Each structure stands twice: as structure tokens, then as C-alpha cells.
Amino acid sequence: MSGSLLTRPIRSVGRFFLNLGSGSYQGADQFAAWARRWVTNRARKADEEILLDRPKLVERSRSLFRNNAIGRAAINTHNYNTVGRGFTLNLDVDAETLGFTPEQKDAFESDVERRWRNFAESTECDAEGQMNFAEMTGLIGATRLIDGEAFAVLKSIPRQNSLYSLRAKVIDTSIVVSPFGIANDYLWRDGIRLDVNGRVVGYCFENLDRTRYEVPAYGFQSGRRFVLHIFRKEFPGQSRGVPYLSSVMRELRKLEEYTKAELEAAVVAAMFTAFIKSNNSNVTESPIPGTDDNPVASDEYSLGPAAIMHLQSGEDVTFANPGRPNTGFAQYVDFMIKVIAAALGLPYEVLMKTFQSSYSATKGAQNEARKFFAVEKLWLANRWCQPFFEEWLTEEIFAGRIAAPGFKESLAIRRAYFRAKWIGETTGSVDLLSELNASEKLIALGYSTRQDEAAQFTGQDWADNQTKLNRERAIMTPPNPEPPANV
């Protein structure tokens, strides 16, 4: 009894501080006029906030991608600069851990890269047999931006006249749902099953006939991945992704409505409409001329070049003047697009493909875009390209097509075989010559490598380029002429 009496004032004091706040942060003010208009929800767990709103966000994101010019431009610009023509494997095994000599390291990497190209450049990597790896990566990148996430189920599907059996099937995010009769709780989150530690252990998918089935995230004994869930985690405890355009949907929609209204007003202004004002009560709507039912009226007027007309008594002419085009339209639209681009992490010049400002401004925009897309490319390579490659390499080694001593016995050695870099799309350059000169100095000072610079400028492998250049030099160099015979 006494314990409950002691806790009551403590709780009331706690509520006192919670309601009034400390007053140290102006952003927490609850009594100012601007604060009363600021309606927010109580801070909750990430999934409590996301899972309820996510279906509507996905619907609107897909609508913006289909019908909104700026929304589609933002997603396409992001995907083209992040994925572009796809990612190129640059294997870099840990030779020290594996005990490889430099020659063995080069030979193993060249063999694996050649086999991967044969696999990735064909449609054998796709469970549906329609896309190669680069096309699947583009679809994964676009789906991740539009829906906020992408799913790929890895399957072993042997086929006739096919060397490989590992394939990936890109899944529509709308079919990832919880089993019937199961609500979201600490173990299920909209089709994703967790263990007590919050680790994903399974996914539930829905068939076309509305039946549902569960796929484990990892093999129980092998530990190999069965499902790849590609989404950017923005909050602790987040289980599903949020569309890329979520934070600017309102602005995009209002900008679309404003643009349509201005366009309609401009079309009306271009029609040059004239109205006849009359005090005659017998005047009716103008009939359609040239028909028997609607003969031409004697009081009907038409506009023509340099035409002079005499109006009847009590009539006057007024021309519609909607005041279009609006002189402030372009300035307002540009400002709003700059706000949208900043929220999405894209420079305005890159989003709108307009490079009409000064060289320094264009260069600054390119530098910001390069940093942003470098992070996005690295993230996508780590979440999609690398896991898929690891499963492919594991299958090739287990099938005996690639010799990898110690791979099956040690996890440390297995990780040493998996080490790789992924060369993505280049971001272009404003002044290529000056950047090449800077690149030469970076290499000379040891701040960069020829491989990294080649990947940045061309998206190609430097060693492969040297092999091709040597072959081209051999073709271009004429054979030494035979000395003339002594007479």
C-alpha cells in the first residue's frame, strides 16, 4: 500500500515534465501559434509508423512514376546513374589468407571472372529466362526506388542445354504478405518472419490463386540464402522499405496540379475568345451553322483578319484575357523542383538535365552527384550483386567446375574467395582533360590506382584494357621487312 502511494507522486511528476517540456529547445514549444498548427504523431517504433502507411505510399509512388514527369525523372535519373549498364565484377581474393602466389591469384581471378561473364551476360541467371544480370539489376534498382524495396528468390532450376542451375526470380512486392489469420506482432511484419533477436528467418508469398506459402531466408543446414530483400534501412527495427519519393509526394502532386492548371489557362488564352454583350432578351445561344435544324442567325458574328463588323443596338464586344502565360510560373516551378531535388539527394542540374550555369556551379553539381551515386552504387552492389555472386560461386565450387582448395572446410577461407569489387556506371565529367591530368597526379603520388581511375572514368577493368591494347599494338605494328639480299 505504501509503495503505491509513493509511486503516485513520482508518476505525476513524470507526467508534469513530459507535458510541459524543459523549454530549452524551441522546436519543442507547444504554445506558440506555429507550434499549435504543427500536428505530429507520437514517436513510435519504426514498423508501427511504416507498415500502416506503406500500402498507400506504394500506390502513390507507382502513380507518380507512371504519370508525374518530375517523379519519373527523379527515379530514372537515380537508376540510370546508379545501375546504368550494370555492374562489372572485379574479383580481388585475399591471396595472403589463401596462400596464393601473384600468378595463382591472377589465374584464379581471371577464370572466375570469365565464368561469371558467361553466366551474367546470358538469361540463365533469370528464373523466367528473360533478362540477363544487368537487366535484372536495373529492375531491382527501379523497383527498390518505386516500391521502397525489392525481393529476389534464389532457386536451383536445372534446365536442358544449360550449364548453370542457380537462378533468381524478381518478386512483386505486393505479394509479400503474412499468412492468413496472422497480424503484425513481434514475430511477423507484413510477410516477414523474425526470430526473437529480430533476425529475418522467413518470407511469406501469395500465389495467383490467393494461396500463401513460406520460404525460409536461409537454408537450415547449408546456411545459403534463399531470398534477397533489398531495401535501405532508415530506422532501427525497420522491416519493410519506404518508397524513394515518400518525402516529396505532396510537393510533386501539388506541382503537377499547378502545372496542369497553368497549361489549361494558357490554352484558353491562345483561343482568343470574344463575347458579345447584349441587352436584347431574344438573343439565344449561337447555333451551329450549316445545318437545317440550326440555320445561320442574322445576329451571329464571327472573327476574321481585319474584319469590320457593326453591332446591333445595345451590344458590345468583350475579349477574354486570362492573363496567361504567367510570368512567375517558371520561377516558382524551378524553386519547387530545387526543393524536391534537395530532399531526394539529387543536384537540380542533374535532375533537370540543365547545365546552363557557370562552370564552377556545374562542376559543383557534378561533384555532389558523384558522391551521392558512389554511395548508392556501393550500397546496391553490397545488397544485391555481392550476395548473388557469392551464391553462384558457391554452387560452381560445389559442382566441381571451379577448384577452390579449403573452401568447404573453413569459413575464413570461404570469405577470402568472395572478396570482390563491383565497377558501376560512370558519372561523366565536365572537363575531361583537366580531370585526366588530376588522375595522373593521383596515381603518381600513390593516392589512387590505375584500376580505380579506369573504373571511375570508363567503368572498365584496367587489366583487361591492357590485354586488349597489347593485342591491338601487335596488329597495328607492321612486321619487320626482310633485309635485301646481297647481290
Side-chain angles (χ1 to χ4, degrees):
M1 185 67 176
S2 60
S4 62
L5 292 175
L6 290 174
T7 56
R8 286 179 183 174
I10 294 176
R11 290 176 180 172
S12 62
V13 171
R15 282 195 289 270
F16 172 78
F17 283 109
L18 180 63
N19 292 331
L20 295 183
S22 67
S24 300
Y25 292 90
Q26 295 180 0
D29 192 341
Q30 302 180 42
F31 304 104
W34 63 268
R36 290 195 297 269
R37 294 192 300 267
W38 192 346
V39 180
T40 58
N41 294 326
R42 177 181 60 85
R44 296 174 293 182
K45 297 183 178 67
D47 280 347
E48 292 181 6
E49 296 178 340
I50 292 173
L51 297 184
L52 292 177
D53 294 339
R54 189 183 171 279
K56 182 58 68 176
L57 290 175
V58 173
E59 291 177 11
R60 292 175 176 174
S61 178
R62 292 186 179 187
S63 176
L64 289 172
F65 179 71
R66 296 189 186 105
N67 306 308
N68 187 281
I70 305 302
R72 189 179 186 91
I75 291 176
N76 285 338
T77 299
H78 188 297
N79 201 33
Y80 291 159
N81 284 275
T82 303
V83 179
R85 294 166 292 181
F87 288 84
T88 302
L89 171 66
N90 182 22
L91 193 61
D92 185 22
V93 299
D94 188 350
E96 184 177 354
T97 301
L98 299 176
F100 281 178
T101 64
E103 293 76 14
Q104 290 175 325
K105 179 178 185 295
D106 292 340
F108 180 82
E109 291 173 351
S110 298
D111 180 58
V112 172
E113 289 173 358
R114 176 179 54 82
R115 293 176 181 272
W116 169 258
R117 284 196 300 268
N118 293 337
F119 172 72
E121 292 175 359
S122 69
T123 58
E124 292 188 20
C125 58
D126 182 14
E128 298 176 348
Q130 298 178 353
M131 298 179 291
N132 58 28
F133 182 72
E135 293 169 333
M136 291 180 65
T137 305
L139 181 59
I140 289 286
T143 304
R144 193 267 297 188
L145 295 172
I146 298 171
D147 291 357
E149 60 187 356
F151 292 89
V153 178
L154 306 185
K155 301 180 179 181
S156 182
I157 309 176
R159 288 175 180 165
Q160 189 176 7
N161 299 325
S162 178
L163 180 63
Y164 309 97
S165 59
L166 178 67
R167 311 182 197 282
K169 181 177 177 60
V170 182
I171 300 295
D172 190 328
T173 61
S174 63
I175 70 170
V176 183
V177 293
S178 297
F180 289 110
I182 295 181
N184 290 330
D185 54 20
Y186 69 98
L187 291 181
W188 279 99
R189 306 289 174 82
D190 270 10
I192 299 178
R193 185 159 65 91
L194 311 175
D195 62 11
V196 293
N197 297 316
R199 184 173 184 262
V200 178
V201 296
Y203 299 86
C204 185
F205 302 104
E206 186 177 64
N207 290 315
L208 293 176
D209 60 357
R210 301 300 181 183
T211 58
R212 300 181 181 182
Y213 63 98
E214 184 180 347
V215 176
Y218 301 91
F220 179 72
Q221 295 181 341
S222 65
R224 295 183 61 182
R225 301 177 181 88
F226 290 158
V227 180
L228 297 180
H229 184 193
I230 300 95
F231 78 103
R232 183 175 288 280
K233 202 166 188 177
E234 299 177 347
F235 303 97
Q238 181 179 345
S239 302
R240 300 290 298 265
V242 178
Y244 177 58
L245 302 177
S246 295
S247 61
V248 294
M249 284 183 176
R250 180 182 59 182
E251 288 75 11
L252 287 171
R253 181 59 179 169
K254 288 185 176 295
L255 188 60
E256 179 184 1
E257 294 176 348
Y258 174 58
T259 303
K260 287 182 178 179
E262 287 291 339
L263 180 60
E264 293 295 334
V267 171
V268 172
M271 293 179 179
F272 195 71
T273 305
F275 300 93
I276 304 297
K277 297 193 301 183
S278 175
N279 295 325
N280 187 357
S281 60
N282 295 325
V283 175
T284 58
E285 295 182 359
S286 299
I288 300 177
T291 60
D292 296 337
D293 296 336
N294 298 302
V296 178
S298 59
D299 56 353
E300 182 179 341
Y301 304 98
S302 61
L303 298 176
I308 299 176
M309 288 194 161
H310 298 280
L311 301 178
Q312 297 184 11
S313 177
E315 292 183 343
D316 189 12
V317 177
T318 300
F319 294 97
N321 183 21
R324 293 298 185 273
N326 185 355
T327 56
F329 172 73
Q331 183 178 2
Y332 174 77
V333 170
D334 284 346
F335 171 77
M336 289 303 303
I337 294 177
K338 289 177 182 178
V339 173
I340 293 171
L344 298 178
L346 299 173
Y348 167 80
E349 294 84 354
V350 176
L351 174 59
M352 297 303 294
K353 311 296 189 296
T354 57
F355 302 93
Q356 300 175 354
S357 55
S358 63
Y359 170 82
S360 58
T362 302
K363 182 63 177 176
Q366 185 204 42
N367 291 338
E368 289 298 316
R370 182 173 294 176
K371 290 188 293 184
F372 174 75
F373 291 123
V375 174
E376 292 296 297
K377 286 186 286 188
L378 179 62
W379 179 86
L380 185 59
N382 291 336
R383 297 288 295 181
W384 158 246
C385 299
Q386 183 66 22
F388 190 27
F389 165 72
E390 291 179 4
E391 295 304 321
W392 171 84
L393 183 59
T394 300
E395 181 177 278
E396 291 298 286
I397 294 173
F398 283 172
R401 290 187 285 267
I402 295 178
F407 182 87
K408 300 179 182 179
E409 289 76 24
S410 171
L411 291 177
I413 293 179
R414 183 175 300 187
R415 297 308 309 171
Y417 279 111
F418 287 153
R419 277 186 42 176
K421 296 179 181 179
W422 294 89
I423 302 174
E425 186 61 70
T426 61
T427 54
S429 60
V430 178
D431 188 351
L432 181 59
L433 182 59
S434 63
E435 293 187 15
L436 287 174
N437 293 332
S439 177
E440 290 181 357
K441 292 183 178 180
L442 290 173
I443 296 173
L445 295 173
Y447 297 155
S448 183
T449 64
R450 290 179 173 85
Q451 174 61 49
D452 292 339
E453 296 301 312
Q456 175 178 327
F457 282 103
T458 65
Q460 298 178 356
D461 184 86
W462 181 85
D464 289 344
N465 289 342
Q466 298 309 305
T467 303
K468 295 176 183 178
L469 287 172
N470 292 333
R471 187 163 57 248
E472 291 176 355
R473 293 190 190 100
I475 296 174
M476 295 174 61
T477 303
N480 295 327
E482 296 182 1
N486 295 327
V487 178

